[in-house]
């Protein structure tokens, strides 16, 4: 899942790594998580800047620290300690992201409205199962255009943007972070699987639940 998400982070089409959307200050701030369904161990980073592959930093949090989440300056300090190179801020900024940010400021559109108009420009994720039934998931995002500086969405939050448990399955989410957090979407999917739903049916039920409860949109 780390390798898959790294490839998507490099793809400018997606809102993760290179191609991340810009916050209200016009900067990239990214969130990512990785989770191992054998141990329920997860690692995540939030509000990290100048890193090409936040998902790999999240994996280092899982494997090399006693913590689950490290944010902001601390995440960048941790990356420095590991020798992960910092990239110049502009290297992650694409024309599409700049355009969306300018459109937001020109028309003063609501962040949620702009979010709905982001045609296919969204969070990335991967899930995997090996031959022994071990599952894993990873999610990475730049968040939503013009988000407040320091805003953290669902993606790096365990049970919200991702969840993996060998006893049920692995989930990665995309969509409106505030809504996803309200219903702990990833854990809601595995809960529905525990109750006997197939993966597809659990995903469908959870998306409908989010729509009905908080009028949220997204996918898993
Ligand atoms: N789902 C990504 C975010 O809202 O930040």
């Amino acid at each position: 899942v780390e390798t898959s998400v790294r490839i998507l982070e490099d793809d400018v089409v997606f809102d993760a790594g290179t191609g991340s959307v810009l916050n209200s200050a016009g900067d990239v701030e990214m969130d990512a998580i990785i989770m191992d369904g054998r141990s329920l161990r997860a690692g995540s980073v939030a509000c990290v800047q100048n890193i090409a592959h936040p998902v790999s930093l999240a994996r280092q949090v899982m494997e090399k620290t006693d913590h689950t989440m490290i944010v902001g300056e601390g995440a960048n300090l941790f990356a420095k300690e590991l020798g992960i190179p910092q990239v110049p801020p502009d290297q992650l900024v694409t024309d599409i992201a700049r355009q969306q940010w300018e459109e937001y400021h020109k028309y003063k559109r609501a962040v949620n409205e702009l979010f709905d108009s982001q045609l296919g420009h969204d969070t990335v994720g991967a899930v995997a199962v090996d031959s022994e039934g071990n599952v894993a998931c990873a999610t990475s995002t730049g968040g939503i255009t013009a988000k407040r500086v320091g805003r953290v969405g669902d993606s790096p939050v365990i049970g919200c943007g991702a969840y993996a448990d060998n006893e049920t399955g692995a989930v990665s989410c995309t969509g409106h972070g505030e809504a996803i957090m309200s219903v702990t979407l990833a854990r809601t999917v595995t809960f529905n699987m525990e109750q006997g739903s197939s993966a597809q049916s659990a995903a469908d039920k959870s998306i409908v639940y989010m729509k009905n409860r908080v009028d949220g949109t997204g996918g898993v």
Side-chain angles (χ1 to χ4, degrees), residues 31 115 122-123 141 143-144 151 153-155 174-178 180:
D31 306 332
F115 172 82
D122 208 359
T123 297
T141 190
I144 52 180
R151 177 265 190 189
D154 61 294
S155 302
T174 178
H176 190 229
E178 283 67 15
I180 291 173

Side-chain angles (χ1 to χ4, degrees), residues 168 187-198 202 205:
T168 44
R187 185 67 184 95
T188 296
V189 174
T190 61
F191 171 77
N192 279 316
M193 291 171 78
E194 281 162 20
Q195 302 300 306
S197 294
S198 67
K205 279 182 195 165

Side-chain angles (χ1 to χ4, degrees), residues 97-108 145:
R98 181 72 62 199
Q99 253 173 359
Q100 281 189 337
W101 188 82
E102 280 165 7
E103 191 186 339
Y104 171 81
H105 284 280
K106 190 167 166 194
Y107 299 110
K108 303 268 180 262
T145 295

